[in-house]
Amino acid sequence: MHVFWSYKIPERNAISDEVLIEKVLLHSDLDSIYKLFDMFPEKQIRSIWEQRLLPDERMFSTNLLFAFLLFRIKDPRGFIKLKIKEHYKKLSA
C-alpha cells in the first residue's frame, strides 16, 4: 500500500505493472503480496520474481519463502540455486 511512501504519489498509470509487482514483492508485507494475486495472474508475478528478484543472492532467504509459500515449488533451494546459475551463465555468454 505504501511502497512509494518517500516520494510524491505518482499517477496510477505512471507505474508499470512490472514495477508495481517488483516493489510490492521487495518492500511489502505478506498481506499486500497476497493482494497482488487478486490483481495479476500468478504467471505474471512469478515471471517478474524470477527475472528481477531471484538472481539476487542477497535475497536468498526471502526467495526461499516466496518459492515455497507463493509458488509452491517442491525443492525451493535447488530451484533457486539452478536459476542463479542460469542467470550467471547468461551474463557470461
Side-chain angles (χ1 to χ4, degrees):
M1 184 184 310
H2 299 286
V3 174
F4 299 103
W5 61 269
S6 63
Y7 302 97
K8 179 181 176 229
I9 297 175
E11 298 291 324
R12 282 188 175 204
N13 296 336
I15 303 169
S16 70
D17 292 347
E18 292 78 17
V19 170
L20 178 65
I21 292 169
E22 177 185 8
K23 298 304 178 188
V24 169
L25 289 173
L26 280 171
H27 302 292
S28 293
D29 60 10
L30 281 174
D31 288 336
S32 296
I33 291 170
Y34 285 134
K35 286 179 185 172
L36 280 178
F37 289 86
D38 293 333
M39 298 168 53
F40 301 100
E42 180 178 334
K43 186 176 181 179
Q44 182 180 9
I45 298 168
R46 182 173 172 157
S47 174
I48 292 166
W49 170 65
E50 286 183 14
Q51 293 170 15
R52 299 186 182 198
L53 279 65
L54 199 58
D56 189 344
E57 292 181 75
R58 298 170 298 175
M59 292 192 54
F60 189 81
S61 13
T62 302
N63 284 325
L64 274 175
L65 175 72
F66 288 167
F68 179 76
L69 199 60
L70 301 179
F71 304 111
R72 299 165 307 283
I73 294 171
K74 300 278 187 226
D75 177 19
R77 189 175 300 273
F79 176 81
I80 292 169
K81 287 182 179 182
L82 177 67
K83 290 294 186 177
I84 290 171
K85 185 185 269 188
E86 288 174 359
H87 176 73
Y88 283 122
K89 275 187 179 179
K90 286 180 189 176
L91 292 178
S92 64

